[in-house]
Amino acid sequence: MRIAEEAITNIYSSTFPTSLAIADLGCSSGPNTLYAVSELVKVVDEVRRKLGHQSPEYQVLLNDLPGNDFNAIFKSLAGFQENLKKQMGDGFGPCFFAGVPGSFYCRLFRAKSLHFVHSSYSLMWLSRVPPSLYDKQGKPINKGSVHISESSPPLVSQAYYAQFQEDFSLFLRSRSEELANGGRMVLIMLGRIGPDHVDRGNSFYWELLSRSLSILATQGEIEKEDIDSYDVHFYAPTKDEMEAEIRREGSFELERLEMFETEKELYKVSDNYGTEVAMTVRAIQESMLSHHFGEGILDALFDIYGRMVEEEMLKEEINPITFVVVLRKL
């Protein structure tokens, strides 16, 4: 969050806009949906007070897929705005909110209408499962695994990388039209350290999900063929892969790229790391897994999964990483 606060401070301090438009892409609808936005607004208000400036009007644009529970967000807005005004005091705002349903892999906003774009843990989700994971007859080529694994043929990692290139390029191109010159984007996403797609980082959690499903198959709870045809639309890029697409698109200057090992920070307060990880993966994958396998397997699946995570952590740490990227619109 500190990096995002520095980025929005730079925008405000260099342009002093009378109206500041902030977009949060992949906002979700949970209790923390409005947290990032509120922190960004507070930072700008603190700066403008120190400088003796009048408060800008804030336009906050909350984006997620159409299936997101926007009604839950809207119901919470009145209380959120009231609390924000109390914290900020006299002279703050006004602050306007809007929900913008749709995929961020296409245009969402008016040309040059945004000053700041924030996206947290969303861009590693691809727009679709790569179609080339299936042969010409429609048969899966990545058998026994839900993602890239050691047993996957080379075509699998190539398919995922090609889909990432297509999606990230579309994302950058769309935002380049929507951001005003000098506007910033702060992108927080899971990634990987080196060229190997299979490591003991983010990809390892999908390996454990594949193993958990295989156990259910041996117990007769699901069919092995159903595992073969289930793939997650996830890709953890490297620093070099992201930089290559940013250069290729050409509309942004890469101001900052930092890497963090975050998973231990997220779960360090818990005595049961495996359960916490299982709950997180279940929240993300539950609807897709239940659609493909039936919801009756979910409790057993994530009980197995949580225990597997715990067992693996006793053997050797799992070290997933997060990238924080700051881009300036040229």
Side-chain angles (χ1 to χ4, degrees):
M1 197 65 209
R2 173 182 53 81
I3 294 173
E5 291 170 358
E6 290 175 5
I8 201 166
T9 298
N10 289 337
I11 294 171
Y12 180 75
S13 301
S14 60
T15 60
F16 302 114
T18 57
S19 178
L20 188 64
I22 302 170
D24 191 4
L25 307 184
C27 66
S28 190
S29 59
N32 294 324
T33 293
L34 299 170
Y35 173 76
V37 169
S38 66
E39 292 302 300
L40 294 170
V41 168
K42 289 175 186 177
V43 167
V44 173
D45 194 68
E46 182 179 351
V47 173
R48 70 93 184 168
R49 286 180 186 275
K50 287 180 179 178
L51 297 173
H53 288 204
Q54 184 175 348
S55 174
E57 294 187 346
Y58 297 95
Q59 183 180 20
V60 177
L61 302 160
L62 302 170
N63 157 259
D64 214 311
L65 293 172
N68 188 53
D69 190 358
F70 285 98
N71 282 336
I73 300 173
F74 297 150
K75 288 176 182 177
S76 70
L77 279 179
F80 172 78
Q81 288 179 298
E82 184 177 344
N83 288 334
L84 194 60
K85 287 179 180 178
K86 287 180 180 178
Q87 292 179 48
M88 298 294 98
D90 294 337
F92 169 73
C95 192
F96 304 101
F97 288 81
V100 185
S103 169
F104 50 52
Y105 291 120
C106 63
R107 283 287 305 276
L108 292 166
F109 311 104
R110 293 185 298 107
K112 299 185 183 301
S113 62
L114 303 178
H115 298 95
F116 189 84
V117 171
H118 176 263
S119 180
S120 181
Y121 294 106
S122 296
L123 271 167
M124 62 272 184
W125 297 108
L126 301 172
S127 64
R128 58 179 178 172
V129 171
S132 49
L133 292 181
Y134 297 82
D135 63 20
K136 292 181 180 179
Q137 287 73 44
K139 296 180 180 179
I141 65 171
N142 192 30
K143 295 183 178 181
S145 179
V146 303
H147 196 246
I148 306 167
S149 68
E150 289 182 353
S151 63
S152 300
L155 283 174
V156 172
S157 58
Q158 294 168 15
Y160 272 102
Y161 179 45
Q163 189 63 52
F164 164 76
Q165 288 178 300
E166 177 185 322
D167 285 348
F168 197 45
S169 175
L170 282 171
F171 177 87
L172 293 172
R173 194 180 315 145
S174 299
R175 304 295 83 76
S176 72
E177 295 182 42
E178 297 163 350
L179 272 161
N181 292 343
R184 303 297 201 283
M185 279 204 297
V186 174
L187 311 176
I188 305 168
M189 59 192 295
L190 298 176
R192 69 185 199 279
I193 295 175
D196 292 339
H197 288 87
V198 180
D199 59 17
R200 207 169 172 85
N202 291 301
S203 68
F204 193 66
Y205 289 119
W206 302 120
E207 170 64 23
L208 294 181
L209 184 61
S210 297
R211 293 183 196 175
S212 301
L213 288 165
S214 294
I215 290 173
L216 288 183
T218 62
Q219 296 172 350
E221 298 294 326
I222 58 176
E223 298 296 326
K224 181 180 180 300
E225 291 75 15
D226 288 337
I227 303 174
D228 295 341
S229 59
Y230 186 79
D231 301 282
V232 295
H233 58 295
F234 173 95
Y235 188 78
T238 65
K239 174 179 178 288
D240 290 344
E241 288 171 348
M242 285 188 288
E243 288 180 341
E245 293 308 310
I246 293 166
R247 285 194 303 270
R248 186 175 293 116
E249 196 281 328
S251 298
F252 295 93
E253 174 192 356
L254 178 59
E255 285 196 331
R256 194 168 182 177
L257 196 160
E258 295 196 16
M259 183 183 79
F260 302 94
E261 287 187 10
T262 57
E263 210 70 17
K264 284 174 274 187
E265 291 298 316
L266 288 174
Y267 300 112
K268 67 181 179 181
V269 296
S270 173
D271 293 329
N272 196 335
Y273 183 89
T275 299
E276 293 292 329
V277 173
M279 288 173 60
T280 300
V281 175
R282 180 170 182 167
I284 296 165
Q285 285 285 299
E286 182 166 4
S287 63
M288 290 167 280
L289 286 165
S290 61
H291 177 76
H292 191 83
F293 297 101
E295 63 179 300
I297 72 156
L298 293 177
D299 288 343
L301 173 64
F302 284 103
D303 180 62
I304 294 168
Y305 183 82
R307 284 189 277 111
M308 275 195 168
V309 172
E310 286 288 339
E311 290 168 5
E312 288 296 329
M313 284 294 290
L314 291 174
K315 297 177 189 175
E316 183 184 350
E317 283 195 344
I318 304 170
N319 294 309
I321 64 164
T322 290
F323 287 117
V324 180
V325 183
V326 182
L327 301 174
R328 183 178 70 88
K329 173 67 168 57
L330 298 172

